[in-house]
Amino acid sequence: EEIRFMICPELCVSMPLSDVMLPHEAIEIVGALQYSKYAGYGGSLKCAGPTDLAEEKAKAPLDALKRHKIRIVAFDALPMPDRTVQYGAEGVMRELRKAVVAFSPNSADQLPDGGEVEEGRL
């Protein structure tokens, strides 16, 4: 997730504008383009130069509101060092509720259109 914010700096604007999410909430961000490439992960992560912005824009057609058709949905995860809590009934139900909210369209233009889903590692 931190990598996505690094390569798509427009996402950083969402941080001060978004409240802490409630257990039944997710945050959708539309139109954030990727401005830089990266290599590695974790301790070996490094910038691999700028992206070809024209190519990025060409990959993401515009929606009805003239935004690039890139949707990023964030739903918070809780730190759970104890796996018995994480994989217990309450922990699993919390994560399932968040996933349902995150992947449910809230309008007709958000219905699945063959888009990609990424999580964690890009």
Side-chain angles (χ1 to χ4, degrees):
E1 297 81 8
E2 292 83 0
I3 294 172
R4 188 67 170 190
F5 275 70
M6 179 186 76
I7 63 175
C8 302
E10 296 164 311
L11 296 176
C12 294
V13 175
S14 69
M15 294 173 69
L17 300 177
S18 302
D19 287 331
V20 173
M21 286 181 263
L22 297 175
H24 62 282
E25 293 180 321
I27 297 171
E28 180 184 48
I29 304 165
V30 179
L33 294 171
Q34 181 175 334
Y35 287 86
S36 61
K37 300 176 191 174
Y38 71 97
Y41 189 78
S44 66
L45 181 69
K46 62 181 177 182
C47 181
T51 59
D52 180 341
L53 201 50
E55 186 179 309
E56 282 297 307
K57 288 180 178 182
K59 287 191 299 187
L62 300 178
D63 67 9
L65 297 175
K66 306 287 186 220
R67 303 171 298 185
H68 290 284
K69 251 185 154 175
I70 300 168
R71 286 186 154 69
I72 296 171
V73 179
F75 55 107
D76 63 338
L78 296 176
M80 294 199 186
D82 181 357
R83 290 186 185 259
T84 60
V85 174
Q86 181 177 6
Y87 297 116
E90 189 175 326
V92 170
M93 287 308 297
R94 181 193 187 279
E95 297 306 309
L96 287 173
R97 279 192 295 272
K98 286 288 204 176
V100 167
V101 169
F103 292 109
S104 294
N106 59 20
S107 68
D109 72 327
Q110 294 177 351
L111 293 174
D113 61 358
E116 298 174 8
V117 173
E118 298 175 357
E119 64 84 26
R121 292 184 147 172
L122 296 177

